[in-house]
Amino acid sequence: MIRDGGRRGRGFWVLGPVEARGPESAIAFGGERARSLLACLLLNAGRVVSVEQLIDAVWDDQPPAGARIQVQNRVSTLRNRLREGGLGDEVILRRSPGYLLRLDAIPFDLAAFDAGVARAEELGAAGRIADASAELAAALELWHGPALSGLDTAYLRAAAQNLEERHLRALETRFGWELDLGRPTEVVDELTVLVDQHPFRERFVELLMLALTGAGRRSEAVDAYQNLRKRLAAELGLDPGVAVQRVFRAVLNGPVTVSGNRRPAPAQLPADLPFAGRTRQLDELDALLGARSCVVITGTAGVGKSALAVHWARRVASRFPDGQLYVGLRGFSTRGQPLPAEEALLGFLDALEVPPEDIPATHQARIGLYRSLLAGRRMLILLDDAHDADQVRDLLPGAPGSLAVVTSRDPLAGLVVSEGAAQLALRLLDPAEARVLLAQRIGADRLDEEPSAVSALIEECSRLPLALAVAAARAASSTSLASYVDRLRAARGTLDAFTMSDRATDVRGVFALSYRTLSPDAARLFRLLHLRIGGAISTAAVAALHAGQLDELVDAQLVSRVGDEHYTTHDLLHAYAGELAREIDTEPDRTAAWHRLLDHYLHSAAAADRMIYPARPPIELGTPADASRPEQFATDTAAMAWFATEYQAAIEAVRLAAETGEHRRSSDLAWTLSTYLSRSGHWNEWYAVHRTGLAAAQQAGDLPAQARSLRDMANACVRLRRYDDARESLLPALAIYEQLGDLDAQGRCFGQLAWIEEREGRYDVALELAQRKLELVTRAGLTGQLAGAYNNLGWAQALAGDFEAAIANCVRGVELFAAQDDKFGETYARDSLAYALQHSGRHAAAIAEHRRVHEMSVELGDRYQQGTTLHRLGDTYAAAGQTDAARDSWRQALTILDEVDLKDASVVREKLK
């Protein structure tokens, strides 16, 4: 019989009744529900288990109304009991979206069993059979009955069945090794019991027949086979499998080699190729060992799916002592049509040494034979380059123990859904991995000689392994890497530099195999995606190009998801899409798509700008192109979120619009970005985008647009403390407005000139300009500018030391801005008022005003104003003698100003010293 391992000690135990034991005794932690909860956590030790998974493990599909609360309460109770029982304070941790059980140094019988099995397999693979058998026997002694006994939810029943299968496989291996060691007599009794307990498990019958024959009891071996045959026929209507039939024929005909584990072991894996990195993916594959029977490695063409699969398969081959099968399925191959599953299956049966006369006539019967041969074995099956799920489904093992690794450009979602396959999505190499790959192919010394050229080469190849391999082959014969990189750059926008005579390694040809699978609608969308602006494109922007089958492109691995709502292609696929578009689509079609995309960004940005700054004087935008699908926003939070995600693409769109002659779209889009770039502290980008907008407006001869960009450049320069540059931009803008007779814009220019002067400390000149602005807007009846004029004047008066007049004018500005519902203007007017109150000694009122300004600037997303206000609030606290509050405000200010204004940050840092 299977030996008892004796008394359980400190630790966790699931190979039998579920228990937790402290140093002295078992820990009482409740009834079946609590044990089910602990069992689920233990089966996933070291991994986060969601609350929903715990609910399933405890209550099946009929949880009580308060199941989540009950789980929380039970976990809390369990945690306390484990701590009181001496297993530690932090065994169960809260980790979103559930809990994690951390073993650290706590013994756990299942972990010990798995480790023992792994050590035994390593010893067996090294030919140390006696040591392997002893190691496995010790691991088997950890079993104290059926795993998880007494727990009866569907989740735990399935887990228990999985554990029992692992138990039985370990028994089969151990008794096979005992036979290899010439000990048939010693194992006959135990194998007889196991056959009685598992009458349909053919491997036990096979081992028993070998043991009986080795013990000189040949007739009993024949009886064992006949009993199996009768049971299978009577209860299942089946014949014994090929493996046990082969042993039976040997028993009848002799002589019999009494060996339990020396079966034919196919070793079909291809040779390992140069391989770099992929550490995380290798770890993920390691974690799937024993947990899944199928894993799908998916990714775009040339990303290294096969290389990873072969490399990992060779690394873990010793874990599959019954052999490794391999077939190239030609799903996306230049070497013909996809290989039929029927043909692949015949190849596997041949590798498993099934005699031709024993191969059934029908495909379904062959599937049954194949899976019967795999049952009870540990085999690795590598199914490389699958076209779809149907091509591989018949080649998957039918029982635990073996593992199928499938590579495909298709994500094979059908296998994930119907077969429980795990999915591993392979991305581009990171730069360090790409460098290692190049070093393997052309030598580390050569890379060290030209480090900058290596970095450029990696980026020109988009970190795509296939392209790197092609480049390495070409660079090997080049005089220098730098000269080869120059040739790559000269060919940028095409794939000419990656053309190979071997179709299997020609990058354009490899991409074409995926493109040809697309529907016409998806193919058109892929071609138009070469117009993509920036690194990734949103779903809405994609729809502006063409409302095609985006999911089809993702499934074909021609487009990759970035987050939930964005998509991208690497540069080589981008170039391929451009080649196809120029070859297939007409120039009017491409131009119309380009206009739709630009108008999508322009009118989306305009809508977002109106939401975050509704009081901003509008400009007239052109009518958006049909089907440009601009986004709309319900809240200013949504608008700010859109800008935060899309502003870089929009800035790039300004440049590209100007380069393609869309000058008005370029200058208008620059204008829509001003508010966001100002408030978010992106002042260099603010200046740069309006330099581009200015050049576009000049090309178009659009004077108002030129003046707008000049004013924005001036504002950005003030933020950047480039005051001379600010004047050089603002004075030409003022001249244009005087030429156009635009008094409203002239008034705004005077306000900006006053700002420049006060920033340089010329408060008298600033005060004069602020008074001039107020006179102009009053005389011209520009009521929309009165609020700003009063604020400009009040701020200048405060800086000049006339605090009472400043307070009066700032209050007028606050009231007028509030009446206009201009929160942006009101925030700055209140900031001026707070400054005047502080310096007039009214600290309590100034503190209240500063707090209000901070709240409003947070609502507006104005990072600079938030930092400045906290800085001034700290100054006010300090003036009021509240040192602790002052330091707290300065620290908060420093966190923000370190991001947006390093000079102001240095001033605050000195105050904190």
Side-chain angles (χ1 to χ4, degrees):
M1 294 292 291
I2 302 171
R3 289 167 289 183
D4 190 287
R7 188 179 82 82
R8 292 180 167 190
R10 174 181 178 271
F12 292 113
W13 305 85
V14 297
L15 303 181
V18 175
E19 282 189 284
R21 301 186 68 89
E24 303 299 329
S25 61
I27 298 171
F29 51 82
E32 182 180 339
R33 303 275 192 229
R35 288 193 297 125
S36 297
L37 186 78
L38 176 60
C40 184
L41 290 169
L42 285 169
L43 291 171
N44 296 278
R47 299 192 297 270
V48 175
V49 184
S50 69
V51 173
E52 288 72 18
Q53 190 174 349
L54 289 170
I55 290 172
D56 287 343
V58 175
W59 287 285
D60 271 342
D61 56 355
Q62 294 182 322
R68 295 185 69 87
I69 299 298
Q70 288 198 41
V71 165
Q72 294 170 10
N73 292 339
R74 289 179 187 277
V75 169
S76 178
T77 300
L78 180 57
R79 187 187 286 127
N80 292 335
R81 296 288 172 81
L82 295 177
R83 182 179 62 252
E84 294 164 0
L87 288 183
D89 293 334
E90 295 187 344
V91 179
I92 302 176
L93 307 176
R94 184 75 172 95
R95 292 286 187 272
S96 180
Y99 298 91
L100 178 145
L101 187 144
R102 188 171 63 184
L103 289 172
D104 289 340
I106 302 173
F108 178 32
D109 61 351
L110 177 55
F113 173 72
D114 286 339
V117 171
R119 284 193 300 271
E121 289 174 344
E122 290 174 2
L123 291 167
R128 297 169 57 187
I129 304 301
D131 292 337
S133 185
E135 185 72 45
L136 198 49
L140 287 164
E141 285 183 349
L142 293 165
W143 285 76
H144 287 68
L148 310 176
S149 58
L151 304 182
D152 195 36
T153 60
Y155 176 88
L156 294 175
R157 284 196 302 273
Q161 290 169 4
N162 177 271
L163 291 174
E164 180 61 15
E165 178 61 31
R166 288 154 69 178
H167 181 208
L168 296 176
R169 291 203 308 270
L171 286 167
E172 291 169 348
T173 300
R174 185 202 155 219
F175 287 122
W177 279 333
E178 288 295 296
L179 293 178
D180 288 345
L181 292 167
R183 301 168 182 169
T185 303
E186 289 88 337
V187 298
V188 165
D189 289 344
E190 289 180 275
L191 284 169
T192 300
V193 171
L194 285 170
V195 168
D196 287 342
Q197 293 173 343
H198 306 279
F200 298 105
R201 194 167 184 96
E202 296 187 17
R203 178 61 172 152
F204 283 149
V205 176
E206 183 183 340
L207 290 167
L208 177 58
M209 291 167 64
L210 290 169
L212 288 167
T213 302
R217 297 156 65 177
R218 189 181 299 264
S219 63
E220 293 177 62
V222 173
D223 290 342
Y225 175 80
Q226 296 296 355
N227 291 336
L228 171 66
R229 184 182 61 78
K230 291 173 183 176
R231 284 194 303 270
L232 288 171
E235 300 191 34
L236 302 178
L238 298 175
D239 290 326
V242 171
V244 73
Q245 287 186 42
R246 187 181 295 126
V247 173
F248 174 62
R249 285 196 296 267
V251 169
L252 286 178
N253 302 320
V256 177
T257 300
V258 182
S259 173
N261 284 310
R262 293 174 187 163
R263 295 178 166 193
Q268 297 184 330
L269 294 177
D272 207 354
L273 297 172
F275 186 84
R278 304 296 195 197
T279 302
R280 181 180 62 80
Q281 290 82 3
L282 290 169
D283 288 344
E284 289 182 29
L285 288 168
D286 286 344
L288 292 170
L289 282 170
R292 298 290 181 94
S293 60
C294 180
V295 57
V296 175
I297 301 174
T298 185
T300 192
V303 81
K305 301 178 291 295
S306 298
L308 172 64
V310 171
H311 180 78
W312 181 77
R314 286 197 161 276
R315 195 172 82 162
V316 300
S318 63
R319 301 287 296 273
F320 298 91
D322 294 314
Q324 305 88 42
L325 300 173
Y326 171 87
V327 63
L329 293 170
R330 303 198 304 257
F332 298 86
S333 173
T334 58
R335 296 187 293 274
Q337 295 299 310
L339 184 72
E342 295 83 355
E343 188 175 334
L345 182 58
L346 285 172
F348 281 172
L349 291 175
D350 181 61
L352 293 168
E353 295 193 349
V354 178
E357 64 271 16
D358 289 338
I359 295 178
T362 68
H363 181 61
Q364 286 302 316
R366 291 169 185 168
I367 296 170
L369 172 60
Y370 168 66
R371 290 178 174 164
S372 296
L373 291 171
L374 294 183
R377 297 192 187 191
R378 287 191 297 280
M379 298 194 72
L380 183 63
I381 303 104
L382 178 47
L383 308 172
D384 194 19
D385 192 22
H387 185 266
D388 53 33
D390 287 340
Q391 190 184 20
V392 301
R393 190 170 276 114
D394 295 345
L395 304 176
L396 301 180
S402 295
L403 174 66
V405 178
V406 187
T407 71
S408 180
R409 300 185 194 183
D410 190 291
L412 303 184
L415 295 186
V416 177
V417 174
S418 63
E419 309 296 336
Q423 189 182 69
L424 180 64
L426 207 55
R427 306 300 183 196
L428 300 172
L429 295 173
D430 65 35
E433 292 173 329
R435 193 183 193 285
V436 172
L437 185 62
L438 286 174
Q440 290 173 344
R441 291 179 175 269
I442 60 178
D445 291 344
R446 188 168 183 195
L447 300 190
D448 291 340
E449 293 171 1
E450 300 180 78
S452 60
V454 173
S455 298
L457 175 60
I458 288 169
E459 291 310 310
E460 289 298 321
C461 294
S462 296
R463 294 177 283 118
L464 184 73
L466 175 60
L468 287 164
V470 172
R474 295 276 175 80
S477 59
S478 183
T479 55
S480 72
L481 293 181
S483 63
Y484 180 66
V485 169
D486 288 341
R487 292 202 298 274
L488 288 179
R489 286 172 173 158
R492 190 179 292 170
T494 75
L495 297 179
D496 292 345
F498 300 97
T499 300
M500 299 286 284
S501 58
D502 177 6
R503 290 185 300 165
T505 57
D506 177 68
V507 172
R508 184 184 287 111
V510 169
F511 290 166
L513 293 169
S514 293
Y515 175 76
R516 290 169 191 161
T517 68
L518 299 176
S519 66
D521 202 37
R524 173 171 166 75
L525 176 58
F526 175 69
R527 297 193 302 271
L528 290 177
L529 279 173
H530 86 281
L531 298 171
R532 182 196 79 215
I533 296 172
I537 185 170
S538 69
T539 306
V542 170
L545 283 174
H546 180 60
Q549 299 297 317
L550 190 53
D551 286 344
E552 187 178 342
L553 295 182
V554 173
D555 287 346
Q557 302 291 348
L558 290 169
V559 167
S560 301
R561 282 192 176 89
V562 181
D564 293 332
E565 292 294 331
H566 285 76
Y567 299 82
T568 191
T569 57
H570 60 71
D571 289 346
L572 298 183
L573 276 173
H574 190 255
Y576 179 58
E579 286 183 344
L580 290 172
R582 290 187 290 274
E583 176 185 338
I584 297 171
D585 298 314
T586 66
E587 185 170 345
D589 281 348
R590 298 198 305 274
T591 300
W594 179 233
H595 289 169
R596 292 195 300 273
L597 185 60
L598 289 177
D599 281 353
H600 170 80
Y601 283 108
L602 170 59
H603 291 275
S604 295
D609 186 65
R610 283 193 300 274
M611 183 57 67
I612 66 174
Y613 193 0
R616 185 185 187 192
I619 66 170
E620 183 179 346
L621 301 174
T623 303
D626 290 342
S628 58
R629 293 179 170 82
E631 302 205 43
Q632 300 299 320
F633 307 94
T635 64
D636 54 357
T637 301
M640 285 294 284
W642 183 87
F643 270 127
T645 303
E646 302 294 340
Y647 82 92
Q648 290 176 317
I651 288 173
E652 181 72 359
V654 172
R655 180 184 68 82
L656 293 172
E659 289 180 358
T660 55
E662 299 299 326
H663 300 302
R664 179 173 179 182
R665 286 182 168 98
S666 176
S667 60
D668 286 355
L669 182 52
W671 179 85
T672 66
L673 297 173
S674 297
T675 305
Y676 174 77
L677 294 175
S678 169
R679 293 186 189 179
S680 59
H682 296 301
W683 301 328
N684 284 302
E685 292 90 338
W686 185 13
Y687 177 79
V689 79
H690 278 286
R691 279 197 63 176
T692 304
L694 173 62
Q698 289 170 337
Q699 286 290 322
D702 187 337
L703 288 176
Q706 293 175 42
R708 287 196 302 269
S709 281
L710 286 165
R711 281 188 58 215
D712 270 295
M713 290 165 62
N715 283 336
C717 285
V718 174
R719 289 294 189 207
L720 294 167
R721 294 184 171 81
R722 292 163 44 188
Y723 303 119
D724 289 342
D725 290 340
R727 285 192 193 86
E728 287 182 10
S729 295
L730 192 57
L731 292 175
L734 179 59
I736 291 174
Y737 288 131
E738 288 172 344
Q739 176 184 341
L740 296 173
D742 188 337
L743 295 177
D744 183 274
Q746 291 174 46
R748 297 180 192 279
C749 287
F750 285 128
Q752 286 178 262
L753 286 169
W755 185 28
I756 296 170
E757 296 300 330
E758 63 92 348
R759 289 296 293 262
E760 290 195 297
R762 289 191 284 271
Y763 300 143
D764 54 339
V765 178
L767 180 58
E768 179 184 340
L769 287 166
Q771 289 170 334
R772 186 174 175 184
K773 174 178 179 177
L774 180 60
E775 291 169 1
L776 185 151
V777 300
T778 302
R779 184 176 64 254
L782 302 173
T783 56
Q785 279 206 64
L786 275 174
Y790 280 120
N791 177 47
N792 291 151
L793 180 58
W795 177 245
Q797 289 168 332
L799 292 172
D802 188 355
F803 299 118
E804 296 306 316
I807 290 169
N809 282 316
C810 289
V811 167
R812 290 191 191 98
V814 168
E815 291 171 346
L816 289 170
F817 275 128
Q820 297 168 9
D821 197 27
D822 185 345
K823 295 187 184 300
F824 182 69
E826 184 185 345
T827 301
Y828 278 80
R830 287 187 180 278
D831 180 62
S832 303
L833 175 59
Y835 179 88
L837 289 168
Q838 173 196 342
H839 287 81
S840 68
R842 302 172 202 179
H843 297 137
I847 288 169
E849 204 61 57
H850 276 312
R851 286 175 172 168
R852 176 64 178 142
V853 172
H854 181 253
E855 290 173 1
M856 294 180 71
S857 60
V858 169
E859 292 175 9
L860 291 169
D862 191 332
R863 295 288 286 164
Y864 177 72
Q865 186 61 47
Q866 292 169 40
T868 299
T869 301
L870 288 166
H871 182 184
R872 290 175 180 163
L873 177 58
D875 291 346
T876 308
Y877 277 130
Q882 300 180 44
T883 305
D884 291 342
R887 294 184 66 80
D888 183 58
S889 288
W890 286 334
R891 278 192 289 268
Q892 293 180 58
L894 188 60
T895 300
I896 297 171
L897 293 172
D898 271 337
E899 298 176 8
V900 297
D901 194 318
L902 292 177
K903 187 166 184 178
D904 278 1
S906 67
V907 173
V908 175
R909 191 171 280 107
E910 285 300 316
K911 291 179 180 179
L912 282 168
K913 290 181 180 178

